[in-house]
């Protein structure tokens, strides 16, 4: 019996209970093999994943990763092709960048995913140093009142942004870069603040670490227990940071997907909790 996402436990997201082991779809378009991407999505859901993270700008060639060739491949469209009609328990979180035309981007996400309303939309700050997100979050709250969005989150933020957003509308998740070798003290504080406020913390780059968009690079200087890969350790470490922390490791590989999902069953501090 393979380890499934069920072994990672559950946490609240968007008024539902999701497995703490989710899946990030940014890497799906790196490989031009569309069938492989669809198989990866099928396998993720088959292994119990019911929380996907995406964005309309996860597209190759030309998107965030800047890789690939050939016709455009949108991660959100691959999700639709693989999984629509969607399982009832599936939560798909997407994001829009604060510097973009927000209504237009929300409509693009609706179209690519083939839904009438988006489960979760994260307002992703273009510039984390921005003093305020209020204007943009107000606009998304308006789209939520129109029924285009069910729940709101924020991404690439500081604590004062969370305060600003919560004064406008409920926030169900915060998505920041965070990992064993990629963590600012202010993000650790924000992670704990999210737990106090009943908000899910959804770190990205938990496997890639300091490699960020370039992907995983070895050398966090951490001790890896025997029988566990460094990637698995990174995911287990992430899940160990709190019961409200959701993992969304990204991969375009079936083998890596299975390896990552198996990490949800590892329990710290059965081995070292890292530096
Ligand atoms: N809010 C935001 O601003 C933001 C920004 C970036 C990402 N995100 C979201 O967060 C998700 C996670 O981030 P991410 O995908 O950039 O980074 P990640 O999950 O931290 O790491 C992905 C990288 O690690 C490699 N990898 C994954 N599992 C592996 C394994 N078992 N063995 C070896 N290599 C492995 C992947 O390559 P392979 O494909 O070869 O496995 C890829 O290079 C994204 O998919 C996206 O949904 C959000």
């Amino acid at each position: 019996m393979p380890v499934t996402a069920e072994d990672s436990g559950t946490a609240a997201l968007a008024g539902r209970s999701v497995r703490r082991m989710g899946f990030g779809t940014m890497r799906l378009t790196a490989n031009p093999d569309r069938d492989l991407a669809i198989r990866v999505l099928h396998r993720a859901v088959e292994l119990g994943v019911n929380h996907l993270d995406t964005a309309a700008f996860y597209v190759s060639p030309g998107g965030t990763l800047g890789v690939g060739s050939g016709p455009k491949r949108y991660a959100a469209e691959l999700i639709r092709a693989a999984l629509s009609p969607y399982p009832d328990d599936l939560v798909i979180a997407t994001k829009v960048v604060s510097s973009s035309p927000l209504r237009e981007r929300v409509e693009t996400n609706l179209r690519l995913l083939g839904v009438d309303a988006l489960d979760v939309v994260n307002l992703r700050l273009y510039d984390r140093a921005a003093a305020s997100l209020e204007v943009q979050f107000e606009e998304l709250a308006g789209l939520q009142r129109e029924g285009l969005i069910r729940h709101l989150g924020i991404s690439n933020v500081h604590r004062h942004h969370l305060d600003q957003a919560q004064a406008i509308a409920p926030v169900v998740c915060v998505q920041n870069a965070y990992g064993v070798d990629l963590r600012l003290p202010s993000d650790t504080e924000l992670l704990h603040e999210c737990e106090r406020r009943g908000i899910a913390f959804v770190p990205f780059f938990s496997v890639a670490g300091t490699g960020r968009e370039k992907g995983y690079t070895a050398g966090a200087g951490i001790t890896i227990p025997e029988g566990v890969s460094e990637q698995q350790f990174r995911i287990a470490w992430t899940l160990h940071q709190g019961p409200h922390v959701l993992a969304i490791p990204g991969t375009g590989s079936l083998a890596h997907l299975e390896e990552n999902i198996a990490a949800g069953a590892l329990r710290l501090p059965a081995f070292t909790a890292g530096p």
Side-chain angles (χ1 to χ4, degrees), residues 24 26-27 53 124 155 175 205 207-208 248 250-252 256 260:
M26 187 172 88
R27 307 281 167 179
D53 181 79
R124 202 279 190 202
S155 175
Q175 195 175 105
F205 296 150
V207 178
I248 50 165
T251 182
H256 290 172
N260 294 349

Side-chain angles (χ1 to χ4, degrees), residues 26-27 65 205 207-218 234:
M26 187 172 88
R27 307 281 167 179
L65 294 178
F205 296 150
V207 178
T210 53
R212 303 180 78 98
E213 278 86 357
K214 285 196 188 69
Y216 166 71
T217 38
R234 286 165 175 264

Side-chain angles (χ1 to χ4, degrees), residues 111-155:
R111 180 172 48 77
L112 289 171
L113 289 167
V115 294
D116 297 328
L118 299 166
D119 293 331
V120 182
V121 175
N122 286 305
L123 176 65
R124 202 279 190 202
L125 283 196
Y126 176 74
D127 179 7
R128 201 183 186 197
S132 170
L133 53 57
E134 285 158 309
V135 171
Q136 295 91 340
F137 202 73
E138 286 275 12
E139 186 175 347
L140 286 188
L143 298 176
Q144 183 181 35
R145 285 192 294 275
E146 280 183 40
L148 303 184
I149 299 172
R150 295 198 180 94
H151 298 274
L152 293 170
I154 53 178
S155 175

Side-chain angles (χ1 to χ4, degrees), residues 4-5 29 48 78 103 136 145 175 197 205 210 216 226 259:
T4 73
T29 60
L78 289 166
R103 174 182 289 275
Q136 295 91 340
R145 285 192 294 275
Q175 195 175 105
R197 297 189 193 191
F205 296 150
T210 53
Y216 166 71
E226 245 184 84
E259 180 182 329

